[in-house]
Amino acid sequence: MPDFHPQINADGKLTHLLSITGLPREILLKILDTASSFLGLADREVKKVPLLRGKSVFNLFFENSTRTRTTFEIAAKRLSADVINLDINRSSASKGETLLDTIDNLCAMHANMFVVRHAESGAACLIAEHLRRMGHDDIHVVNAGDGRHAHPTQALLDMYTIRHFKKDFAPLAVAVVGDILHSRVARSNIAALTALGVREIRIIGPKTLLPPELPRMNVRVHHDMREGLRDCDVVIMLRLQNERMNGALLPSAREYFKCYGLTPEKLALAKPDAIVMHPGPMNRGVEIDSFVADGPQAVILDQVTFGIAVRMAVLSILAGN
């Protein structure tokens, strides 16, 4: 995948959210600041705001994800949008219609925004480019995860979580642990952490689950989890992407947990106030111990809550509000 995506128009405004890579720090901070204002709505008992009233948001999930689709749906409805969830498994896609034919038909139904999740890297970018060629500059695309490429709103809600608990990015050492090779979340998080200027990004995992491009990404690589966790401020655990693995990359789940599962003993090597994050769904006993997942340093459920506010921010900014 190319590193640059046509996400910003000639006026410097965000027109699509396809990848964190290529977005300036100022836009990332604008999204986080806007999310803070939406999170505050809960304190004022405001159920909805009319920023997307009269707009149609289509959730196109060609790949399953209950958590992501639900939070996008809640976010759009809280902005007063009309939300249409397509059952892709029963739609025209399963009858042989191409992705872009589907998009053309939905454009004819006066869609204003597409939230797209797809197993193929680049699907959201392909749709955005097609809309540009067809002259639909007023229709926006949000990438809700594409293959191994990117998951920008997950990275943004992770950055929001880090800023909420740690305030300042600059002094932080952040460890990302696990299946980096197959993880779009890891790639987006590395790009976001780099843009926001954290002191150090540590990548921890077995050689078989690390991508070859890591040396170009300004990170420190550790194969020993205990060494990598020492004195870090944030620990981001990743799920093993078994559905994307080709061949036997690991000896066994038990062996993986022994070496790279986050236990209370390993977490004790990080700073005492270190926070533990996970994009979900968690494999307890594989990448994380239940005592950690349910413990006082875990902020995993906070990530879910913050995710609604962050996705509200993205949708409202794309709509020009």
Side-chain angles (χ1 to χ4, degrees):
M1 288 300 305
D3 287 337
F4 175 75
H5 305 290
Q7 307 179 92
I8 304 172
N9 64 19
D11 297 325
K13 294 181 179 179
L14 194 69
T15 186
H16 303 294
L17 181 62
L18 308 174
S19 173
I20 296 296
T21 303
L23 291 183
R25 172 186 172 91
E26 293 73 23
I27 285 182
L28 299 182
L29 291 176
K30 179 182 179 181
I31 294 170
L32 299 185
D33 291 341
T34 305
S36 291
S37 68
F38 287 127
L39 196 66
L41 290 177
D43 299 330
R44 299 195 295 272
E45 296 185 356
V46 176
K47 297 296 184 182
K48 285 188 176 182
V49 291
L51 296 180
L52 263 64
R53 181 174 293 161
K55 304 285 188 182
S56 296
V57 177
F58 284 75
N59 283 333
L60 308 180
F61 277 59
F62 296 85
E63 185 182 62
N64 291 330
S65 177
T66 301
R67 182 184 290 101
T68 302
R69 190 175 81 167
T70 301
T71 53
F72 266 113
E73 182 175 359
I74 293 170
K77 286 182 175 178
R78 286 187 181 173
L79 294 169
S80 303
D82 297 318
V83 182
I84 298 91
N85 292 314
L86 265 66
D87 188 347
I88 298 299
N89 292 328
R90 298 181 182 179
S91 73
S92 49
S94 65
K95 301 172 185 175
E97 185 172 86
T98 69
L99 173 63
L100 296 184
D101 282 338
T102 299
I103 294 299
D104 286 339
N105 277 279
L106 297 177
C107 288
M109 299 177 195
H110 305 293
N112 300 107
M113 200 171 299
F114 295 120
V115 178
V116 182
R117 190 180 184 96
H118 204 285
E120 295 297 326
S121 297
C125 300
L126 177 68
I127 293 170
E129 176 59 20
H130 178 71
L131 293 174
R132 184 192 65 80
R133 289 198 310 268
M134 299 300 291
H136 296 305
D137 294 331
D138 58 337
I139 302 178
H140 311 286
V141 179
V142 180
N143 183 2
D146 63 330
R148 300 183 187 181
H149 173 233
H151 197 344
T153 58
Q154 179 67 49
L156 286 164
L157 73 89
D158 287 348
M159 297 308 106
Y160 188 98
T161 304
I162 292 171
R163 189 172 75 164
H164 177 83
F165 287 101
K166 295 299 180 183
K167 310 307 179 189
D168 185 11
F169 289 102
L172 300 180
V174 180
V176 185
V177 185
D179 184 2
I180 312 295
L181 178 63
H182 302 96
S183 176
R184 54 196 172 204
V185 173
R187 287 170 172 80
S188 293
N189 271 334
I190 291 170
L193 292 165
T194 301
L196 293 169
V198 299
R199 175 174 61 86
E200 185 179 2
I201 304 170
R202 305 177 189 177
I203 300 300
I204 305 171
K207 292 180 180 179
T208 54
L209 294 180
L210 300 184
E213 65 267 23
L214 278 179
R216 304 193 301 270
M217 300 176 76
N218 195 31
V219 300
R220 291 183 60 184
V221 176
H222 297 269
H223 301 302
D224 184 317
M225 189 173 182
R226 289 173 173 81
E227 176 186 319
L229 290 180
R230 196 173 303 278
D231 295 325
C232 70
D233 302 278
V234 179
V235 183
I236 302 175
M237 301 302 299
L238 299 174
R239 180 176 67 86
L240 282 178
Q241 307 278 321
N242 293 311
E243 69 277 11
R244 297 193 185 119
M245 292 185 187
N246 294 315
L249 299 179
L250 296 169
S252 68
R254 178 181 294 181
E255 188 68 21
Y256 180 83
F257 181 72
K258 178 181 177 182
C259 295
Y260 296 102
L262 186 60
T263 61
E265 293 75 22
K266 292 174 189 168
L267 180 58
L269 296 168
K271 289 183 179 177
D273 63 346
I275 59 173
V276 175
M277 301 166 60
H278 194 300
M282 292 184 292
N283 292 313
R284 292 172 183 259
V286 178
E287 68 252 5
I288 190 166
D289 188 284
S290 287
F291 286 106
V292 176
D294 301 326
Q297 290 174 264
V299 296
I300 298 165
L301 294 180
D302 296 287
Q303 289 174 264
V304 178
T305 300
F306 297 153
I308 297 172
V310 166
R311 284 164 178 145
M312 287 177 71
V314 169
L315 296 177
S316 65
I317 289 171
L318 288 176
N321 296 304

